[in-house]
Amino acid sequence: MKRLFYLLFCVSLMGCGEKKPQKPANFVPDEKMVRIMADLHTAEARVERSLSYPDTALMTFNHYQKEILQQHEVTEEQFRTTYRYYLENIPEMDKLYEVIIDTLSVRESRAQARADSAALQVAAPIEVKDKKDSLLVEILE
């Protein structure tokens, strides 16, 4: 009896071993998933910044999410299946988010550079070459 119990115990322990999840058939490639997730995080930040009502914010974000998935030609089911895979495989999710964070940092740097460039253009003095033909000179004088 002890041997049977010991044998069943060992078999049950082997069955509890951690299995690495298999990538689903409709898996979204990593590069595309990075772009989708970066776009979703950007949309989420915009919604959070502009809307204060949670229900409205959720509806708006869901609308943006559908648009982003359509833009990347990914179905909601593909996205959810792929995201579920990453939730079950945390080390790969960590690697994916390292790239997502880098992507968002680059986007932020580019946006800041554009904003700085636009601010410089607005602050630049207006140069008038021909004072006789300029309405601006008449207004300023």
Side-chain angles (χ1 to χ4, degrees):
M1 186 69 166
K2 287 183 180 180
R3 286 185 181 182
L4 180 62
F5 177 73
Y6 180 72
L7 179 64
L8 289 175
F9 179 73
C10 289
V11 170
S12 66
L13 283 180
M14 287 189 291
C16 294
E18 189 174 322
K19 297 177 184 176
K20 186 175 179 180
Q22 296 294 323
K23 289 185 179 181
N26 58 351
F27 186 80
V28 177
D30 292 344
E31 299 83 20
K32 187 179 272 194
M33 192 67 172
V34 165
R35 290 190 303 270
I36 291 170
M37 293 297 294
D39 290 347
L40 288 174
H41 284 295
T42 303
E44 182 180 22
R46 286 181 182 157
V47 169
E48 285 179 359
R49 188 179 59 220
S50 65
L51 298 172
S52 59
Y53 298 108
D55 293 343
T56 306
L58 181 61
M59 288 174 41
T60 303
F61 176 74
N62 287 340
H63 174 74
Y64 284 146
Q65 181 178 2
K66 286 179 185 176
E67 284 184 355
I68 290 167
L69 293 177
Q70 286 175 353
Q71 176 186 358
H72 290 283
E73 299 175 346
V74 172
T75 66
E76 192 169 333
E77 180 61 31
Q78 284 177 297
F79 175 74
R80 288 185 189 278
T81 303
T82 302
Y83 194 75
R84 220 174 290 122
Y85 165 79
Y86 281 114
L87 288 176
E88 294 172 0
N89 196 349
I90 299 300
E92 285 198 38
M93 176 73 98
D94 288 341
K95 290 177 189 174
L96 185 76
Y97 261 93
E98 286 178 12
V99 179
I100 292 169
I101 291 169
D102 290 343
T103 301
L104 289 170
S105 296
V106 168
R107 288 182 183 183
E108 182 180 27
S109 297
R110 288 180 183 165
Q112 187 62 45
R114 283 193 300 267
D116 292 346
S117 175
L120 288 175
Q121 289 176 355
V122 170
I126 299 171
E127 186 178 320
V128 179
K129 294 182 181 179
D130 187 7
K131 291 183 180 182
K132 294 179 183 174
D133 292 335
S134 176
L135 292 175
L136 182 60
V137 172
E138 291 176 17
I139 294 171
L140 293 176
E141 289 181 345

